[in-house]
């Protein structure tokens, strides 16, 4: 299965509501525009995005004399794609690079780190994994399992060690080995806990100060199934850490893939990767137009 086919399969549930308003022969009338705006809002894209996109499409339909709903499917995909900010660099391919993964427990940080390490290994990129989650039971063991699968060394310390000190040691060891990619898994943090967020900010600051040989990116791993709560999480993490970008996981498990657009657009953060399944190949490089075409069913 190719990348686009895998994306289409993963977002099948997310397309269902949008497809209802694009049935063959449907007319572009006032009911259509109201249904489109409502559908985008219900798809977790947010009211502002829904209104902006709908208004722009309404103008395009009048300008180009588009009178049938099916004529607007591609235009909708392109207009939605324009809402995503482009990434200035890809921290997983523009090397050397150090990436700190943050997010709440259960978002998929450790799994994502393991998959990215496996991809790096396949591409022949010298890579190390850092285990800065020293508090959660079995966190280090879980990360080491992923390291074994990816054939990538995991650098960590004993349970209970200071996470900032661990990150310092990881960067030092990575530089000694000549690693081109450093992937650091941090402990899950509830975005509502100010004490935990301050501790995580310390981890980020120490890593940025120590890492002189390569740029440091802070990437939020967000679970798409959390819906609007995911948007709240992203705001809190961004306020505390000045995020560089996002990885959105579990898009195959939600009927509201639009939350990825809402978070990226509202916070002006690029999406680096998306997860649409459990397999290694289901963690894909994000392409805004491919994503939006899969979301609205364009070309199917």
């Amino acid at each position: 299965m190719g990348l686009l086919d895998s994306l289409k399969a993963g977002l099948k549930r997310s397309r269902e509501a949008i497809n209802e308003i694009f049935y063959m022969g449907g007319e572009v009338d006032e009911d259509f525009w109201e249904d489109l705006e409502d559908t985008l809002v219900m798809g977790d894209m947010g009211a502002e995005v829904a209104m902006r996109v709908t208004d722009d499409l309404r103008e395009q339909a009048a300008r180009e004399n588009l009178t049938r709903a099916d004529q607007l499917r591609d235009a909708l995909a392109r207009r939605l794609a324009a809402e995503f900010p482009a990434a200035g660099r890809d921290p997983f391919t523009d090397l050397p690079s150090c990436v700190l993964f943050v997010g709440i427990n259960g978002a998929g940080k450790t799994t994502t780190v393991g998959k990215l390490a496996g991809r790096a290994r396949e591409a022949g990129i010298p890579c190390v994994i850092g285990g800065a989650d020293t508090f959660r039971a079995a966190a280090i063991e879980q990360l080491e399992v992923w390291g074994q699968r990816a054939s990538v060394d995991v650098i960590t310390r004993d349970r209970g060690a200071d996470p900032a000190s661990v990150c310092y040691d990881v960067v030092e060891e990575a530089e000694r080995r000549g690693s081109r990619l450093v992937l650091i898994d941090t402990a899950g943090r509830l975005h509502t806990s100010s004490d935990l967020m301050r501790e995580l900010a310390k981890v980020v600051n120490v890593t940025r100060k120590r890492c002189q040989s390569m740029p440091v990116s802070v990437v939020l791993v967000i679970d798409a199934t959390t819906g609007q709560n995911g948007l709240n999480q992203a705001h809190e993490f961004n306020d505390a850490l000045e995020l560089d970008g996002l990885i959105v996981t579990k898009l195959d498990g939600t009927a509201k893939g639009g939350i990825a657009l809402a978070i990226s657009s509202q916070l002006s953060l690029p999406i680096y990767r998306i997860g649409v399944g459990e397999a290694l190949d289901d963690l894909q490089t994000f392409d805004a137009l491919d994503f939006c075409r899969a979301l609205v069913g364009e070309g199917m």
Side-chain angles (χ1 to χ4, degrees), residues 104-115 129-131 133 136-150 152 154 156 185-188 250 278:
I104 68 168
N105 283 325
K109 292 188 305 301
T110 303
T111 299
T112 297
V113 169
K115 289 181 178 181
I129 296 172
D133 183 354
R136 183 170 60 91
I140 295 173
E141 290 82 355
Q142 181 186 4
L143 195 61
E144 287 177 338
V145 168
W146 274 106
Q148 291 170 4
R149 291 177 184 173
V152 173
V154 177
T156 189
D185 184 25
T186 69
K250 306 180 187 180
E278 294 298 321

Side-chain angles (χ1 to χ4, degrees), residues 8-20:
K8 289 176 179 178
L11 290 174
K12 182 178 179 181
R13 292 180 61 199
S14 300
R15 277 196 306 276
E16 293 175 354
I18 292 178
N19 273 339
E20 289 182 8

Side-chain angles (χ1 to χ4, degrees), residues 64 67 105 111 117 124 131 172 225 269 298:
E64 298 178 7
T67 59
N105 283 325
T111 299
E172 192 166 72
T225 63
L269 291 171
E298 190 274 331

Side-chain angles (χ1 to χ4, degrees), residues 36-299:
L36 175 60
E37 185 174 319
D38 289 346
T39 300
L40 297 180
V41 171
M42 293 298 291
D44 274 342
M45 294 182 194
E48 290 186 9
V49 168
M51 292 175 61
R52 192 160 59 237
V53 168
T54 302
D55 288 346
D56 286 353
L57 280 185
R58 187 193 290 262
E59 291 181 7
Q60 181 177 351
R63 187 171 63 250
E64 298 178 7
N65 194 30
L66 304 176
T67 59
R68 297 196 321 275
D70 59 289
Q71 294 175 314
L72 282 167
R73 194 188 289 270
D74 180 65
L76 175 60
R78 292 181 179 277
R79 181 59 190 82
L80 289 173
E83 289 289 319
F84 288 97
R89 63 182 291 269
D90 185 333
F92 306 110
T93 58
D94 294 338
L95 306 175
S97 181
C98 176
V99 185
L100 282 162
F101 295 81
V102 301
I104 68 168
N105 283 325
K109 292 188 305 301
T110 303
T111 299
T112 297
V113 169
K115 289 181 178 181
L116 287 167
R119 289 281 182 86
R121 175 71 176 180
E122 290 175 357
I125 297 170
C127 174
V128 294
I129 296 172
D133 183 354
T134 59
F135 297 107
R136 183 170 60 91
I140 295 173
E141 290 82 355
Q142 181 186 4
L143 195 61
E144 287 177 338
V145 168
W146 274 106
Q148 291 170 4
R149 291 177 184 173
S151 298
V152 173
D153 287 343
V154 177
I155 302 169
T156 189
R157 295 294 178 263
D158 293 336
R159 187 176 176 188
D162 177 58
S165 297
V166 174
C167 290
Y168 187 99
D169 292 346
V170 168
V171 172
E172 192 166 72
E173 178 65 16
E175 289 179 348
R176 187 187 68 78
R177 297 183 179 202
S179 300
R180 302 279 289 167
L181 180 61
V182 183
L183 307 173
I184 300 180
D185 184 25
T186 69
R189 293 287 193 272
L190 286 174
H191 58 291
T192 53
S193 173
S194 57
D195 288 342
L196 292 177
M197 292 299 285
R198 279 195 297 270
E199 183 180 78
L200 186 55
K202 175 188 173 185
V203 170
V204 171
N205 290 334
V206 167
T207 305
R208 283 175 169 157
K209 288 179 180 178
R210 174 60 185 84
C211 203
Q212 301 297 319
S213 61
M214 61 185 77
V216 176
S217 299
V218 182
V219 175
L220 175 66
V221 180
I222 198 88
D223 178 349
T225 63
T226 58
Q228 286 298 309
N229 188 46
L231 182 58
N232 297 332
Q233 292 173 26
H235 273 287
E236 295 293 336
F237 275 96
N238 192 47
D239 288 345
L241 307 175
E242 298 181 10
L243 299 171
D244 293 287
L246 307 165
I247 291 177
V248 184
T249 62
K250 306 180 187 180
L251 278 164
D252 55 321
T254 174
K256 297 183 178 182
I259 192 60
L261 188 154
I263 295 172
S264 180
S265 177
Q266 285 196 31
L267 298 182
S268 296
L269 291 171
I271 297 176
Y272 297 127
R273 300 289 186 275
I274 53 173
V276 291
E278 294 298 321
L280 178 64
D281 289 342
D282 289 332
L283 183 67
Q284 302 178 11
T285 299
F286 180 73
D287 181 284
L289 187 55
D290 282 350
F291 177 85
C292 292
R293 282 176 167 166
L295 190 64
V296 306
E298 190 274 331

